[in-house]
Amino acid sequence: VQLVESAGGSVQSGGSLRLSCTASRYMLRSYCMGWFRRAPGKRRVAVAIIDEYDTANYGDFVLGRATISHELNTNTLYLQMNNLKPEDTAMYYCAAGPCQEMRSSLSGFNYEGYGSWGQGTQVSVSS
């Protein structure tokens, strides 16, 4: 079971980035897929989640600024982030796992220990 994120990047405040993650087709069709992030000194939190029916859910802090999507023909999960802010600086992780627990993480449930994770990719936003 492998999830491999693309390189993140460094942008200025107000800029945009698109993260990608390759996964197996089985994962994309069978589990919820999500993006999480961990800022320095903080715990990992959910950013955006999508299920096999393309139903997406987002953390309040990215509403209107992020779009999660997947392409089954390339087995790729994406996170498009716009109007980035310095507080978006974090290590971003791709995840696959059970939908109930993953969606609950948007409300504060600690999702650590569930499902599969990528190695993480750094996103830095300067002011």
Side-chain angles (χ1 to χ4, degrees), residues 10-118:
S10 297
V11 297
Q12 290 191 323
S13 183
S16 298
L17 273 179
R18 188 174 77 160
L19 304 180
S20 62
C21 169
T22 56
S24 70
R25 177 163 294 203
Y26 175 78
M27 277 183 158
L28 292 171
R29 289 185 176 274
S30 305
Y31 298 109
C32 268
M33 303 292 297
W35 288 96
F36 288 68
R37 74 185 190 190
R38 179 184 283 133
K42 297 185 178 181
R43 71 177 184 91
R44 190 155 51 181
V45 296
V47 177
I49 294 162
I50 189 168
D51 66 14
E52 65 267 37
Y53 305 110
D54 288 341
T55 300
N57 302 97
Y58 297 91
D60 290 343
F61 51 89
V62 294
L63 275 175
R65 301 191 297 122
T67 303
I68 188 171
S69 61
H70 53 202
E71 286 185 358
L72 294 179
N73 60 345
T74 59
N75 299 333
T76 306
L77 176 74
Y78 297 101
L79 180 69
Q80 175 70 42
M81 295 186 292
N82 303 317
N83 191 22
L84 283 160
K85 306 174 183 180
E87 52 264 43
D88 292 318
T89 295
M91 187 72 78
Y92 283 72
Y93 298 86
C94 175
C99 288
Q100 181 176 347
E101 287 81 358
M102 195 177 283
R103 289 198 180 102
S104 294
S105 69
L106 290 168
S107 303
F109 174 76
N110 188 349
Y111 185 74
E112 295 297 332
Y114 288 88
S116 301
W117 296 90

